Amino acid sequence: DVANRDLEIRGAGSLLGTEQSGMAARVGFDLYMRMLKKAVRQLRGLDLPMVPRTNVLLPKGEGSIEIKGADGISHAFKIPEDYIQDEKERYQAENVARLGESTAKLVNLTAEWKEKYGPLPVNLQLKLKTMHLHACTRRLGIDLIGLADNGEGRIDCILRSPGLRPRHIEEIAPSLPKGVMIKGLDAVFPPRFCRNGEEGEIRGGMRFNIQSTFIGEDEDDSDDWDALDQEETEAMEDISSAFDIREIDEVDIDKYPRFVIRNFGKIAVGQRVDVLLKLLLGAAKVVYEKQEKEKEEAKVAAELREKRTQMKKTKLLMDKEDRILLDYSGLAE
């Protein structure tokens, strides 16, 4: 391609060659790039990746917005025809609800519906509760939810979140009541994240010490310093294929970071969405607010950089014009 051809003609120069300067010369190119990567990781904020949708595999389709009907066709969230009678408006409203990024946006949307179309029917209220749940799960990076036997005679609810890291919990918890994760919602991490080489847990309702239990990402001194990036790439691939899963047993769940709700099997059918929503809502709200704030700060910083760049260009142009005027003045004399 053009870039490779350019390198062939001009050479890679100092960037990829052995001749380096500054920090890269003092520590070596490989170590410099590792230090740079770690610095970028520390500056990236609450980067828990949002997933496009969550595959909920609870019995009787509870909590799912994609349920196959008798005709074999997948029926997503639908608004009753007798509530919004205009077909175009109804489809529009359904799409906006499906794309809701937060429960706050869904609340605002339903307020608009009430004002325009009247009180919400009971069946629509139940569907919207499920939409609120999915807004939370997508924000928390949860791509798969199902029930699993914990081996002790109890059924737990597993909420897989491939992009979840201990540092995310460390950043979320202080903004929650009592400065800890919600009681009843535990975060579980595979052995590769833990100092003792065994599975690690952060129990909801309890204080924790990230540094003593989990390996910090800035401690990675292995030769393969791209390992973390590779793992994150694989996590995104898992997320993209989650919706093809039909049973939670198809997945080796122990390989993934996840939230766990213990003894979920005791919760009656019809109440499970309420319990999930109650446990996830606080953390999802914190993540949404922090990420929106970081997005706004990044936007302001980018605008400031653009203004500074423009000011420099203007100054250079003015300096050039001044030099031209001086040259003309010299000639006139």
Side-chain angles (χ1 to χ4, degrees):
D1 59 11
V2 176
N4 284 332
R5 182 59 182 153
D6 184 59
L7 281 174
E8 287 175 11
I9 295 170
R10 297 198 244 181
S14 306
L15 179 61
L16 303 177
T18 56
E19 183 184 348
Q20 299 292 333
S21 61
M23 175 65 80
R26 288 195 293 273
V27 302
F29 183 69
D30 184 75
L31 179 56
Y32 172 73
M33 289 303 294
R34 186 183 303 184
M35 292 166 64
L36 180 61
K37 187 168 291 189
K38 288 179 180 178
V40 170
R41 287 182 184 280
Q42 291 169 355
L43 292 172
R44 61 187 177 179
L46 184 51
D47 60 337
L48 179 58
M50 185 176 180
V51 299
R53 56 184 180 176
T54 303
N55 187 4
V56 181
L57 301 174
L58 296 180
K60 299 188 177 182
E62 194 171 7
S64 176
I65 56 173
E66 300 279 347
I67 302 171
K68 283 193 175 180
D71 54 5
I73 299 173
S74 183
H75 298 280
F77 170 76
K78 297 284 186 182
I79 295 173
E81 292 182 11
D82 57 356
Y83 183 63
I84 301 180
Q85 296 178 5
D86 183 275
E87 187 178 37
K88 185 177 179 182
E89 286 185 20
R90 188 170 63 254
Y91 287 161
Q92 232 172 8
E94 288 171 352
N95 286 331
V96 173
R98 290 188 197 112
L99 296 172
E101 294 182 348
S102 69
T103 57
K105 290 190 176 182
L106 286 172
V107 167
N108 293 336
L109 179 62
T110 51
E112 291 175 13
W113 291 353
K114 288 177 184 177
E115 186 177 338
K116 189 172 182 179
Y117 305 110
L120 300 174
V122 174
N123 62 342
L124 181 55
Q125 291 179 33
L126 294 173
K127 290 178 181 179
L128 282 167
K129 190 181 293 183
T130 300
M131 297 302 292
H132 278 276
L133 172 62
H134 280 256
C136 291
T137 57
R138 289 187 291 114
R139 181 61 61 175
L140 292 171
I142 298 168
D143 67 338
L144 187 64
I145 298 177
L147 302 183
D149 191 330
N150 69 356
E152 299 175 2
R154 296 196 310 269
I155 301 297
D156 294 341
C157 184
I158 308 298
L159 304 92
R160 185 178 79 164
S161 180
L164 182 68
R165 299 293 179 265
R167 58 185 165 82
H168 296 141
I169 303 296
E170 186 178 35
E171 193 164 350
I172 293 168
S175 298
L176 293 171
K178 299 181 181 179
V180 295
M181 292 298 289
I182 300 298
K183 186 176 181 180
L185 182 67
D186 302 336
V188 181
F189 296 92
R192 65 182 181 276
F193 293 101
C194 308
R195 293 189 183 280
N196 62 5
E198 298 177 0
E199 198 170 73
E201 290 184 3
I202 298 176
R203 286 275 186 171
M206 298 177 64
R207 301 205 172 274
F208 55 89
N209 187 318
I210 289 285
Q211 286 71 31
S212 64
T213 306
F214 300 99
I215 300 169
E217 292 183 18
D218 59 347
E219 297 177 41
D220 179 28
D221 292 323
S222 63
D223 292 333
D224 184 10
W225 49 273
D226 282 329
L228 291 173
D229 283 342
Q230 178 63 28
E231 181 176 308
E232 289 178 0
T233 300
E234 291 172 357
M236 295 311 295
E237 290 173 358
D238 289 327
I239 289 169
S240 65
S241 62
F243 210 73
D244 296 328
I245 298 168
R246 291 291 169 259
E247 299 287 342
I248 195 77
D249 294 340
E250 295 175 26
V251 181
D252 184 1
I253 206 68
D254 292 339
K255 288 171 49 180
Y256 299 95
R258 57 203 181 274
F259 294 103
V260 177
I261 303 172
R262 315 283 175 182
N263 215 11
F264 195 78
K266 282 192 172 182
I267 299 169
V269 174
Q271 297 178 11
R272 290 171 176 172
V273 170
D274 293 313
V275 172
L276 286 168
L277 194 52
K278 180 181 177 181
L279 292 173
L280 298 176
L281 184 58
K285 183 180 178 183
V286 169
V287 174
Y288 172 73
E289 289 176 351
K290 282 182 175 288
Q291 289 182 339
E292 288 299 299
K293 182 181 177 183
E294 289 168 1
K295 220 185 291 185
E296 187 59 32
E297 289 173 348
K299 181 181 176 183
V300 171
E303 290 173 353
L304 185 59
R305 283 195 300 271
E306 179 64 28
K307 286 179 182 178
R308 285 175 178 168
T309 302
Q310 195 58 46
M311 287 171 65
K312 285 180 182 177
K313 287 180 179 178
T314 303
K315 186 176 183 304
L316 287 172
L317 185 60
M318 291 175 66
D319 289 345
K320 184 177 179 181
E321 289 175 351
D322 288 343
R323 285 195 298 272
I324 292 171
L325 288 172
L326 285 172
D327 290 342
Y328 276 122
S329 298
L331 290 172
E333 291 176 3

